[in-house]
Amino acid sequence: MLMRDRNESEQKQYILDTLSRHSTVNRIGKRAVLESKFIISGKEICGKGWCIVHNVSNWRYEQCCRDRKNGMRKVLHGNSVAHMRIQGKTSIALAWMRRTFKRIGDFLPNRDIIQLPYTWTKIRTYRRMKEELVSRGMLKKEIISYVHFTRIWSQKLSRYVIAKATEFTQCSTCIQLEEDFLNATEATMDKIAELKELHDRQVENERDAYHDAREDARRNPRERTCAIIDGMDQSKTNLPHFIVKDKDNANLAQLPIHLTGVLIHTGTADGKVPFVYHDVKHIPHDSNLTIHCLMESLTRVKDHLGRVLFLQLDNCFRENKNKYVFSFMALLVELQIFEEVTVHFLPVSHTHEDIDQMFSCISRHLKSSNAYTLADLESGIQECYTPSVTVIPVKMVPDYKTTLQEVMAGAYGGHSKPLWFRFRNIDDKCHMHYRMWKTSEWRPFNDGDWPNGLLCLKELPDLTGTLPWVLPSLEKLELEKLCKELPDSYNNRMAPIVKDWWRTFIRETLQTDYDEIPPARPWSLRELKKQPEDVASSADSECLLELQNRVNKECTDVFIGKQGKISLRKVKAVSDFTSVKTGMLVAVHCEEKEGRPFIGTVIERRGDEVTVGWMKGSWKGMWHQWLIKSGRTRVQYTSTIPVNSMILWDFALTSKSRLRSATASELKEKYDELDA
């Protein structure tokens, strides 16, 4: 390549490489001297002659010589992408793009890219960014240009692409809006554009709902657990799997393998626990499989379950969006395994999420690795994703559908459209509410015919009994063809030990472990119930209270002589108990001296009796509600006492929830007087 065909950086790099090969740096005292010997056509020439031959200016040559003396071997361009200084407005644009793209993009299961909606274009995305940033108070001149916008998109966010075509089905609403917009007249164009924007916002909000639940489960694992379930049904997981297929083996029999993935988001070190269940398509892929995978996953993370379950499912009626899955959610609530269950579905054709990212890791691994046996496939799945995946074979599935059908409150209808379903326990019975979008109101409405919601189960199933198994079927495997072609027809592509494994698997394992019905299985739902938390001992509580008092020290009053002294005002105790009302703080007399003072809040008054919600604290410490364990929740400790047992009421605590000095003095006097 001639010098004139190179750009400036390439020319400087070529000169530096030549100086590195044909020159040496010698030190004379503190001065560095560069000695060069260039040879062209067998003749030695000086540096000036080399510049003439290569059409290099003396200024550039001297500059490269100085760089060579300083030890430089690689040209570092000041404006290169790797060393580009990102200005403030560029950072703002990048933050907006990352957040928006993550919310709206689809994680493809077979490629390491995130696909943006079909209707998006770069110019429309740029205009939307400008509108949103201006609405937040930015000036238009502070926003990057469209050219710079496209540049940083290609340099920094190359994973996010707007695909022209894909092998996955597209959203019919998106396609219809795009086609109508292209063929629209001036009168209808603005209206269709508004509809497109509304549809994008709706999809964005639904994705946000899952992302918010996922992050909340990681931050507050005791409050919420988030789970997502999806299937990977692709021929690339069939066994044996070869990176390169030869002509002789391309059409030979393979063992079909179906993968079902489950991601549990909770408060572990990695924030999530991945599971992959595999079967040989010998069982129906319906709600029984979905419930089985969810049950197995929850059982394995039962120590990390929260009060509320948020379940993200694919919009498939056969496997997920049906009466059996909904009835099982109601069963989880009615058995108090969860206080509330929310089942969420993304809009059709907008369902690719982080679990598809796990599937893309599996696909990427199989593109570079052969998988001869089930053990090879399982080890590859475990290692290709972080954190490590727990791989579980599914040989039999319990028949939940038959059992749940008997206890349903009635037939389901109209549940194909809504995207949200919420299950709550009301009056010891689980009721369901539903809504279309995240911003919609829950139905049935509170002022309607069913204010508590729709009753899901008429009774609980017999959990002391057993569950029958779903009958497996090996008809889809074409056993005769498998026995004939595997492994002998694969010539020299398999080692002898692999061929022995396949012979054993097809003739023995496949027809025993995957076809024979084991004994009936007992219900395992009781295992998911959390054990009561250990209540702290009184000694621990006192130690904790002492630590709180040490940390939350109050400032004392400083005085000089009579200056700064605050006279303590007496708190007048009233003997007329008719003024005791709900919400007042009250102090109660009790013969037991330990634990004084006894303070609480009046919750309800009935004649000469009051119900008091007790508080915990000390004379100089902070006061807070006294909570006790009730099932899986903690409630305030209450009791009913006679109103004449109160010695002081209608007083207030300080801003730091402590007793005022005057209140404490008055209470001590009253206790001493009554004790005497």
Side-chain angles (χ1 to χ4, degrees), residues 27 36 116 128 134 151 169 269 285 389 398 428 437 511 593:
R27 294 283 176 180
S36 304
L116 300 178
R128 175 178 173 178
V134 169
R151 183 187 301 120
T169 57
H285 295 158
V389 182
D428 296 329
W437 304 104
Q511 300 186 32
K593 296 183 179 181

Side-chain angles (χ1 to χ4, degrees), residues 652-655 658-665:
L653 301 175
T654 66
S655 59
R658 300 176 189 273
L659 284 173
R660 299 182 186 275
S661 300
T663 307
S665 299

Side-chain angles (χ1 to χ4, degrees), residues 286-315:
D286 56 6
S287 49
N288 279 327
L289 180 61
T290 301
I291 295 172
H292 173 71
C293 294
L294 177 64
M295 270 292 299
E296 289 292 323
S297 303
L298 293 178
T299 304
R300 292 170 185 265
V301 296
K302 63 181 180 180
D303 295 333
H304 300 282
L305 297 182
R307 296 188 308 104
V308 178
L309 173 65
F310 185 97
L311 182 60
Q312 180 73 44
L313 295 175
D314 196 14
N315 225 323

Side-chain angles (χ1 to χ4, degrees), residues 12 63 76 100 102 183 196 276 304 312 340 359 383 432 439 444 501 529 544 611 634 651 662:
K12 291 177 69 175
Q63 185 185 35
L76 298 177
T100 305
K102 283 182 179 178
N183 301 322
K196 287 176 62 178
V276 167
H304 300 282
Q312 180 73 44
E340 178 183 316
F359 292 149
E383 298 169 0
M432 181 183 76
T439 54
W501 181 90
K529 296 203 69 172
L544 181 60
T611 302
R634 300 179 72 85
F651 58 91

Side-chain angles (χ1 to χ4, degrees), residues 24-36:
T24 57
V25 179
N26 298 321
R27 294 283 176 180
I28 301 177
K30 295 183 179 181
R31 191 162 60 94
V33 178
L34 186 68
E35 296 182 357
S36 304

